[in-house]
């Protein structure tokens, strides 16, 4: 949520900042703004609504200057409006901010008593006024920023300019992501890698409690206390073209069709087929430690939580170790029982999810070992974890996660094999069988994507309904949850996912001729039970959409519609079942005229609680 872009160098700042903000639109926002400094004068332009509104204003009256900052805002304090849009200014100080300042009411009250006048309803404006206050007390720009950041409490990523120091930019981080791009004689600041990937692939990730001063073509990294830091740039392998639509109508559709490649990239170099094992280069935990854990706690949010539920089935089945799956926003508030015998697994696409990061820190505080499954190299959660399994999905622009989700599932398979082999709960032959299925998986996903036309026809049939129910058993149950989540967040249709066996404990009361029920009915050990649940729906007039195994379509002749999967995938069937769930949500949303890549009220990365 929210996006920050900053630039200082020898080029015109406006086009670079606007291009960066455009690449951050997927994060979700309700207003946008930009500020440049030219000849010691700050110029600010802000607009409510889409970035195109700001671009139209700048086309009429461009901003000059080779240093500037920009922002896309997702409202937390203060309604969406031009007045509340960033950048915010107090005297000579202008800044943009992601995060939440928790003690802003007290700071604002004090500053008003000192004579400061506020123009917005935001918590952000307090920071600008506080910096201005300390400059009036005799601090220079940099000292005033340090003084201010000692007083504020909460989460922030900041990019700050001052007309009294027209060639200086300061950026600082606490709890919200911020990255500094290194160019030749120029620097870029952003809240997310894709914003500046077109400009440079060399990035420095700021840690909490760190800041950078960019001036005179140099970057000085330091702690808030002033200690100089030696920060090494990381080379980002993502291609800028990976964030383009490449002829697809929407980023989400492009990312759905990229899934075979993302799976291959996540598996590449990790499968030891002859040994019946996997190589996880950044896991970092020695075998004896992996052998000693008595339980696993998986912590995640949203779609990543669904991946964790699939992981529970895998780890308990193959590794014979108890697994709990927690929603990150609840984890640390229930006084969780974790200790040195607990392995805590954090799953986050961005690596910056605020609740998941807080859960990681709580788990560490209680002595647990933590590993992460993450898509963004160098983000906060992997950096603070004891080990990490990176999913090589590439940048995911669509707010609704697709390729990041399936690669999280692939990472769960890899972790299951490694833990199972270390703990001697999986034989070499069993591991080889799973590895063979993983090798086949990208090709099976490619076959499954050929269902796109059939799913689109299905979407036309059901685009106007008000409610959906998704049913599954075993490791298909989390995919039912995921299918419901995708549909509700994209199309705004009310949808629920349920374990099929729970239908008679409540949801069956909702079923009538207007209620479509998606039933995940692959031929596995739950097959007969699921078919029985389907018959219960049909007997009450419900419309059944059955996803069945290849060759089973005739068995579902009483269903309203049948999608026959191209081939069974055994243990990896949750990945294949995810594909028609994604396509159904996508096509219904397009037909209903929804903003597929940027659904209302949603942000790609939830970086505040």
């Amino acid at each position: 949520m929210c996006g920050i872009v900053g630039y200082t160098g020898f080029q015109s700042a406006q086009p670079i900042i606007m291009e960066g903000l455009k690449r951050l639109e997927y994060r979700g926002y309700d207003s946008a703004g930009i500020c440049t400094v030219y000849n010691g004068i700050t110029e600010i332009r802000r607009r409510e609504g889409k970035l195109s509104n700001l671009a139209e204003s700048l086309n009429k009256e461009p901003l000059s200057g080779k240093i500037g900052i920009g922002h896309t805002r997702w409202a937390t304090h203060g309604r969406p409006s031009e007045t509340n849009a960033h950048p915010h200014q107090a005297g000579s100080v202008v800044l943009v901010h992601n995060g939440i300042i928790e003690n802003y009411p007290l700071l604002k009250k004090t500053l008003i008593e000192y004579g400061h006048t506020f123009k917005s309803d935001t918590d952000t404006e307090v920071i600008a006024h506080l910096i201005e206050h300390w400059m009036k007390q005799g601090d220079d720009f940099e000292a005033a920023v340090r003084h201010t950041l000692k007083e504020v409490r909460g989460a922030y990523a900041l990019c700050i300019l001052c007309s009294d120091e027209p060639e200086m930019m300061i950026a600082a981080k606490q709890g919200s992501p911020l990255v500094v791009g290194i160019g030749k004689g120029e620097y870029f600041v952003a809240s997310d890698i894709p914003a500046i990937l077109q400009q440079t692939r060399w990035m420095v990730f700021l840690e909490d409690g760190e800041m950078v001063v960019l001036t005179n073509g140099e970057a000085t990294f330091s702690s808030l206390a002033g200690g100089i830091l030696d920060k090494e740039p990381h080379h980002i392998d993502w291609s800028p073209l990976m964030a383009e639509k490449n002829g697809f109508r929407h980023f989400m559709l492009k990312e759905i069709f990229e899934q075979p490649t993302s799976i291959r990239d996540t598996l590449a170099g990790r499968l030891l087929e002859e040994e019946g094992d996997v190589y996880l280069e950044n896991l970092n935990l020695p075998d004896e430690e992996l052998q000693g854990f008595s339980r696993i706690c998986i912590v995640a949010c949203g779609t990543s939580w669904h991946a964790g539920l699939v992981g529970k089935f895998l780890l308990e089945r193959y590794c014979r170790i108890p697994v709990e799956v927690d929603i990150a926003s609840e984890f640390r508030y229930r006084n969780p029982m974790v200790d040195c015998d607990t392995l805590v697994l954090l799953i986050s696409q961005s690596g910056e999810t605020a609740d998941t990061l807080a859960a990681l820190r709580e788990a560490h505080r209680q002595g647990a070992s933590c590993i992460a499954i993450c898509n963004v190299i160098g983000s906060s959660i992997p950096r603070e974890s004891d080990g990490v399994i990176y999913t090589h999905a590439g940048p995911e622009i669509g707010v609704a996660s697709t390729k990041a989700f399936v690669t999280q599932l692939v990472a769960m398979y890899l972790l299951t094999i490694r833990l199972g082999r270390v703990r001697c709960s999986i034989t070499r032959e069993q591991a080889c069988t799973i590895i063979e299925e993983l090798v086949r998986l990208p090709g099976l996903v490619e076959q499954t994507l050929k269902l796109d036309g059939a799913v689109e026809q299905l979407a036309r049939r059901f685009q106007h309904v008000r409610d959906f129910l998704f049913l599954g058993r075993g490791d298909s149950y989390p995919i039912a949850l995921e299918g419901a989540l995708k549909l509700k967040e994209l199309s705004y249709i009310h949808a629920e996912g349920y374990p099929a066996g729970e239908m008679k404990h409540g949801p069956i009361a909702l079923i009538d001729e207007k209620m479509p029920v998606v039933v995940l009915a692959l031929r596995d050990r739950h097959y007969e039970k699921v078919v029985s649940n389907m018959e219960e729906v049909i007997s009450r007039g419900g419309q059944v959409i059955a996803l069945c195994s290849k060759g089973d379509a005739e068995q579902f002749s009483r269903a309203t519609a049948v999608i026959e999967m191209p081939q069974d995938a055994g243990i990896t069937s949750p990945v294949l079942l995810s594909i028609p769930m994604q396509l159904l949500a996508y096509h219904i949303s397009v037909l209903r005229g929804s903003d597929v890549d940027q659904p209302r009220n949603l942000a790609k990365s939830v970086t505040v609680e």
Side-chain angles (χ1 to χ4, degrees), residues 267-323:
L267 294 173
R270 289 171 165 172
L271 300 178
L272 306 176
E273 298 177 59
E274 292 186 5
E275 293 92 334
D277 207 340
V278 298
Y279 170 66
L280 299 176
E281 62 277 17
N282 300 116
L283 193 58
N284 296 340
L285 299 182
D287 288 357
E288 55 270 23
E289 188 171 351
L290 293 174
Q291 291 168 351
F293 294 120
S294 60
R295 58 192 283 263
I296 296 174
C297 186
I298 300 175
V299 183
C301 298
T303 286
S304 296
W305 183 69
H306 297 157
L309 291 175
V310 176
K312 174 182 172 70
F313 282 97
L314 290 169
L315 291 165
E316 290 191 339
R317 176 182 176 185
Y318 288 99
C319 301
R320 307 308 300 157
I321 183 170
V323 180

Side-chain angles (χ1 to χ4, degrees), residues 372-389:
I373 293 177
C374 185
N375 189 43
V376 180
I377 295 172
S379 54
S380 295
I381 291 173
R383 290 202 309 271
E384 295 192 24
S385 295
D386 302 302
V388 60
I389 303 172

Side-chain angles (χ1 to χ4, degrees), residues 527-586:
Y527 178 72
E528 292 181 357
K529 298 290 186 183
V530 173
V531 170
S532 176
N533 296 138
M534 181 193 73
E535 291 294 338
E536 290 170 338
V537 172
I538 293 172
S539 68
R540 287 158 178 81
Q543 302 184 69
V544 169
I545 302 169
L547 270 73
C548 66
S549 298
K550 183 178 182 180
D552 265 6
E554 289 186 12
Q555 305 295 321
F556 295 89
S557 58
R558 297 187 64 205
T560 308
V562 178
I563 295 290
E564 188 174 329
M565 300 298 289
Q567 193 167 343
D568 281 344
I571 187 177
T572 59
S573 61
V575 174
L576 294 195
L577 284 172
S578 301
I579 309 304
M581 298 294 94
Q582 296 167 357
L583 291 170
L584 181 64
Y586 171 79

Side-chain angles (χ1 to χ4, degrees), residues 73-380:
R73 177 181 187 253
W74 195 82
T76 53
H77 292 83
R79 65 180 179 85
S81 67
E82 186 172 322
T83 301
N84 288 330
H86 298 214
H88 287 286
Q89 182 174 19
S92 61
V93 178
V94 183
L95 58 81
V96 292
H97 164 229
N98 288 352
I100 294 175
I101 303 304
E102 297 171 358
N103 62 335
Y104 91 96
L106 178 60
L107 293 173
K108 184 174 183 178
K109 180 176 181 292
T110 302
L111 287 164
I112 290 173
E113 291 173 354
Y114 287 154
H116 289 255
T117 302
F118 286 80
K119 300 177 182 177
S120 76
D121 302 316
T122 68
D123 55 332
T124 299
E125 192 181 354
V126 166
I127 308 172
H129 281 277
L130 201 53
I131 295 171
E132 182 198 24
H133 166 77
W134 288 114
M135 291 180 69
K136 286 181 177 179
Q137 305 307 306
D139 284 353
D140 61 24
F141 177 34
E142 181 180 343
V145 171
R146 293 186 190 278
H147 214 147
T148 294
L149 297 184
K150 291 177 183 177
E151 292 193 58
V152 299
R153 188 175 70 250
Y156 57 77
L158 292 163
C159 201
I160 315 166
L161 299 177
C162 178
S163 58
D164 294 339
E165 296 280 358
E167 296 183 357
M168 180 182 291
M169 177 184 295
I170 298 177
K173 173 193 182 308
Q174 179 67 46
S176 292
L178 204 62
V179 60
V180 179
I182 311 297
K184 295 181 178 179
E186 56 187 349
Y187 294 94
F188 311 85
V189 178
S191 50
D192 207 351
I193 291 171
I196 54 178
L197 198 57
Q198 194 74 27
Q199 309 296 334
T200 180
R201 294 197 197 177
W202 289 100
M203 313 279 182
V204 173
F205 297 93
L206 290 183
E207 304 282 358
D208 285 352
E210 292 182 355
M211 62 183 282
V212 60
V213 177
L214 305 171
T215 187
N216 297 322
E218 295 184 354
T220 304
F221 296 91
S222 63
S223 65
L224 294 184
I228 301 300
L229 303 172
D230 184 16
K231 303 283 288 185
E232 286 293 325
H234 295 263
H235 187 264
I236 305 301
D237 292 329
W238 295 352
S239 163
L241 292 177
M242 294 170 73
E244 302 293 346
K245 291 182 183 175
N246 290 346
F248 286 91
R249 183 176 178 183
H250 298 97
F251 279 114
M252 181 183 176
L253 188 61
K254 168 181 174 278
E255 288 156 7
I256 289 173
F257 277 84
E258 284 177 340
Q259 289 176 123
T261 298
S262 297
I263 292 169
R264 289 189 182 98
D265 289 345
T266 300
L267 294 173
R270 289 171 165 172
L271 300 178
L272 306 176
E273 298 177 59
E274 292 186 5
E275 293 92 334
D277 207 340
V278 298
Y279 170 66
L280 299 176
E281 62 277 17
N282 300 116
L283 193 58
N284 296 340
L285 299 182
D287 288 357
E288 55 270 23
E289 188 171 351
L290 293 174
Q291 291 168 351
F293 294 120
S294 60
R295 58 192 283 263
I296 296 174
C297 186
I298 300 175
V299 183
C301 298
T303 286
S304 296
W305 183 69
H306 297 157
L309 291 175
V310 176
K312 174 182 172 70
F313 282 97
L314 290 169
L315 291 165
E316 290 191 339
R317 176 182 176 185
Y318 288 99
C319 301
R320 307 308 300 157
I321 183 170
V323 180
E324 299 175 23
V325 186
D326 266 283
I327 294 174
S329 57
E330 297 292 330
F331 178 78
R332 68 187 177 117
Y333 293 111
R334 65 172 179 83
N335 194 18
M337 295 178 63
V338 297
D339 54 26
C340 60
D341 294 325
T342 306
L343 175 63
V344 177
L345 173 61
L346 299 307
I347 308 177
S348 169
Q349 187 281 139
S350 67
E352 302 290 352
T353 310
D355 290 312
T356 309
L357 183 57
L360 163 64
R361 290 167 178 167
E362 176 63 21
H364 266 157
R365 190 186 68 80
Q366 296 196 32
S369 295
C370 298
I371 60 175
I373 293 177
C374 185
N375 189 43
V376 180
I377 295 172
S379 54
S380 295

Side-chain angles (χ1 to χ4, degrees), residues 249-250 463-464 490-492 585-600:
R249 183 176 178 183
H250 298 97
Q463 63 176 299
H464 298 299
L490 290 172
S491 69
Y492 320 136
Y586 171 79
H587 286 300
I588 287 179
S589 303
V590 170
L591 290 167
R592 290 169 66 93
S594 302
D595 189 338
V596 174
D597 287 333
Q598 299 170 48
R600 68 187 183 205

